[in-house]
Amino acid sequence: MTERVLRGRVLTFRRRPEGVGDHSAYDWFEDGAVHIRDGLIVATGDFAAVAPAGVPVTDHRPHLITAGFIDAHLHFPQGQIVASWGAQLLDWLNTYTFPAETRFADPAHANRMAGLFYDLLLRNGTTTASAFCSVHPASVMAYFGEAEKRGMRILGGKVLMDRNAPEALQDTPQTGYDDSKALIAQWHGKGRALYAISPRFAITSTPEQMAAAQTLIAEHPDCHVQTHLSENRDEIAFACSLFPQADGYLDIYARYGMLGDKALLGHAIHLSDRERSVIAETGSHAVHCPTSNLFLGSGLFDEAALAAKGATSGIATDIGAGMSWSMLKTGGAAYAIAQLQGRSLDPLSGFWWITRGNADVLGLTDRIGTLEAGTEADLVVLDSRATPEQALRMEAAQDLKDELFSLLILGDDRSVVETYVAGTPSRPR
């Protein structure tokens, strides 16, 4: 049995805050503690009440302890193309993304990249991610294999694409089905791994492959489904031209049984009012990728319009079009995008979104995203004064709101003191 207590200033969310004054949405312990045993949280609360005598204490004061960050949409094979200069989405895919993904046919390359990929996630305080692998089963093996070594709660899957991509990146409806079926059998539910059936987007799958994906989804209803939706206006026009019988882009996925509470729809920027209603009615989830949308000039995600329909949205880095691996930076970019739409994302909601909010979207709040008793002990320890800029700002900070907002705007991997995965310190040095 392994047991420890982490001491520090502890924050965990009960639900989404309705503004900075909504104190009932979270628990805050100025001198707090998280008691961990065998990878699970035993209790969270005031240090004097939670820390048992005789259990080793790791004292992180004055730093902030919160649930580990969750990234709801990124691409495992794209770590090396972050900050690649280029045009908008479709040109960027052809110029940078597809050549990079071709290399993942080589297991040695995939394995090396997997180690670096998880190093960067953990360095940035991210303990769970949902990622697209390449079309090659070797990439999926590397992705889940490395996560298993580190004991991480990870979602992902092989992309399905049988057209409009280089020949080296195309499968077929049958091989895509067969490979996915075998990978699901090998990895889904093994340890902390969860499989996500992953048709890249409608442009790169024929109707026959979409039908094969529909069969996989029906056969494995406990698997997530991830794809891309309405990121770019040219993309929308191209997708709709390929499926002329569909009533818009979202309807393509609806016709193939891809919507539901396990559906993760990356980007979802250019939506009609009817499409927002369908997303809400089916329990599907759009995933906001703010730095990627800015980088590619794709548009402004309207989270408030989706929320008004009753939909809950995730948030993600979208590495490699995203400009940072940091969920802190991602939350800060989401604030800026809301400002451009005449709205304000408050800092408590920003932190809720990158922790419990994404856990809610993934349907995993019973396991990750909070510091509640019985959940998996994935945590991040944050230093709000890690850089000179942050230290200067914190001299004038008046409350928790100011501190969290400073982390979202000024924070990055330097703010991460330690990352705990299942109770074990895991941040690469």
Side-chain angles (χ1 to χ4, degrees):
M1 183 176 73
T2 59
E3 192 169 11
R4 72 173 76 216
V5 169
L6 306 182
R7 187 175 188 178
R9 299 161 62 244
V10 175
L11 173 67
T12 184
F13 289 92
R14 300 177 184 176
R15 56 173 173 78
R16 179 169 188 162
E18 298 176 3
V20 294
D22 187 6
H23 303 299
S24 65
Y26 61 92
D27 292 312
W28 168 248
F29 306 98
E30 185 66 41
D31 185 10
V34 183
H35 179 194
I36 299 167
R37 182 188 301 133
D38 292 338
L40 299 177
I41 294 174
V42 178
T44 297
D46 290 314
F47 177 77
V50 167
V55 175
V57 175
T58 302
D59 194 343
H60 284 296
R61 292 178 298 172
H63 300 323
L64 176 68
I65 301 173
T66 187
F69 301 144
I70 300 168
D71 190 342
H73 177 110
L74 74 167
H75 295 262
F76 164 48
Q78 294 181 21
Q80 285 192 308
I81 62 170
V82 177
S84 293
W85 180 84
Q88 293 192 339
L89 173 65
L90 298 180
D91 291 332
W92 191 83
L93 287 172
N94 288 311
T95 303
Y96 296 110
T97 301
F98 290 155
E101 293 193 5
T102 300
R103 299 183 64 196
F104 280 74
D106 177 6
H109 178 73
N111 288 331
R112 176 175 179 265
M113 289 297 109
L116 297 170
F117 177 85
Y118 287 112
D119 280 351
L120 282 164
L121 290 184
L122 293 169
R123 183 175 296 279
N124 282 279
T126 298
T127 52
T128 290
S130 183
F132 293 76
C133 300
S134 75
V135 74
H136 314 100
S139 74
V140 185
M141 297 296 291
Y143 175 77
F144 280 122
E146 186 66 26
E148 182 180 45
K149 292 177 187 176
R150 299 173 188 238
M152 294 176 70
R153 170 68 65 190
I154 287 294
L155 300 83
K158 163 194 146 53
V159 294
L160 302 171
M161 48 185 194
D162 66 339
R163 65 172 169 182
N164 293 320
E167 185 175 350
L169 288 179
Q170 292 185 37
D171 53 13
T172 71
Q174 190 62 53
T175 61
Y177 172 87
D178 291 341
D179 288 345
S180 298
K181 188 86 171 171
L183 291 163
I184 290 168
Q186 179 163 359
W187 289 109
H188 185 62
K190 181 183 180 184
R192 302 183 73 194
L194 296 171
Y195 199 89
I197 298 165
S198 306
R200 187 184 206 111
F201 62 164
I203 288 172
T204 50
S205 287
T206 60
E208 293 76 18
Q209 183 165 81
M210 296 289 274
Q214 182 175 19
T215 300
L216 282 169
I217 293 164
E219 291 172 343
H220 304 281
D222 56 339
C223 285
H224 285 74
V225 180
Q226 58 181 359
T227 190
H228 297 77
L229 172 70
S230 299
E231 180 178 0
N232 171 287
R233 294 193 185 279
D234 290 341
E235 169 213 4
I236 295 169
F238 191 10
C240 290
S241 74
L242 296 171
F243 293 87
Q245 75 281 11
D247 184 15
Y249 197 169
L250 181 66
D251 189 51
I252 299 170
Y253 297 135
R255 287 168 179 258
Y256 290 100
M258 295 181 184
L259 304 185
D261 62 0
K262 289 188 176 294
L264 306 172
L265 307 171
H267 303 286
I269 299 170
H270 305 288
L271 301 176
S272 68
D273 194 58
R274 179 186 57 81
E275 286 177 320
R276 293 189 186 97
S277 295
V278 171
I279 289 172
E281 290 162 7
T282 58
S284 304
H285 305 283
V287 182
H288 183 17
C289 304
T291 72
S292 168
N293 298 160
L294 292 170
F295 178 73
L296 292 175
S298 300
L300 304 179
F301 178 82
D302 195 341
E303 190 266 340
L306 280 157
K309 297 291 187 181
T312 53
S313 302
I315 187 169
T317 62
D318 192 30
I319 294 297
M323 292 187 280
S324 174
W325 294 76
S326 170
M327 289 304 296
L328 294 172
K329 288 292 186 189
T330 300
Y335 167 82
I337 284 178
Q339 288 290 101
L340 289 170
Q341 299 174 90
R343 304 186 182 99
S344 181
L345 175 67
D346 71 82
L348 287 164
S349 293
F351 260 79
W352 163 85
W353 209 354
I354 64 178
T355 56
R356 181 172 188 140
N358 269 349
D360 287 340
V361 162
L362 295 176
L364 295 175
T365 316
D366 62 330
R367 288 181 260 184
I368 58 173
T370 77
L371 303 181
E372 294 181 6
T375 61
E376 297 163 353
D378 295 342
L379 308 94
V380 61
V381 181
L382 300 170
D383 180 0
S384 304
R385 297 170 173 81
T387 67
E389 295 89 345
Q390 289 178 286
L392 181 63
R393 171 66 185 99
M394 287 301 295
E395 286 183 13
Q398 298 181 9
D399 53 21
L400 177 63
K401 162 185 61 67
D402 288 351
E403 181 175 3
L404 296 181
F405 194 57
S406 171
L407 282 163
L408 290 173
I409 301 302
L410 299 175
D412 54 26
D413 62 301
R414 294 168 294 177
S415 304
V416 177
V417 175
E418 188 57 87
T419 305
Y420 288 86
V421 171
T424 299
S426 300
R427 186 185 189 276
R429 300 299 176 186

